[in-house]
Amino acid sequence: SKPTGYSSVGFDAVSADVVELAGADALLGRAREHLVAGRPLQAIHLAELVPSDHPGAREVLREAHQRLLADTTNFWERAWLTEQIAKNS
């Protein structure tokens, strides 16, 4: 368990550092590998690190959400996934 003061800084506080060090293209390349391997959630996690105005990030996010949509029958999940696809189109 972490002391209380340490939990106020989440991973998102350093995501720009990760993108700067690894490179957006490298992160998106790995995200695409996850898509090919049938791991859309991992692809989403990596693509969400990249700034949303990067066309490659939107492409990966759109495809990953489309794959999740194809596998769900839950009404609320379908609505949310459809919204995510539209947002990244």
Side-chain angles (χ1 to χ4, degrees), residues 6-89:
Y6 294 119
S7 62
S8 63
V9 177
F11 180 74
D12 58 331
V14 296
S15 60
D17 295 329
V18 172
V19 175
E20 180 182 342
L21 293 168
D25 292 336
L27 289 169
L28 294 172
R30 181 59 57 91
R32 287 184 188 96
E33 290 175 16
H34 282 299
L35 279 176
V36 169
R39 296 185 299 265
L41 292 175
Q42 287 87 336
I44 289 169
H45 288 313
L46 288 175
E48 284 182 338
L49 292 172
V50 177
S52 60
D53 62 347
H54 190 293
R58 289 192 309 271
E59 176 187 322
V60 168
L61 288 168
R62 182 176 57 251
E63 186 173 341
H65 286 101
Q66 286 170 336
R67 289 184 186 202
L68 291 172
L69 179 63
D71 291 337
T72 188
T73 58
N74 180 288
F75 174 81
W76 298 111
E77 283 180 5
R78 292 185 67 75
W80 183 82
L81 290 165
T82 300
E83 181 181 322
Q84 296 305 305
I85 293 164
K87 181 173 122 181
N88 290 293
S89 292

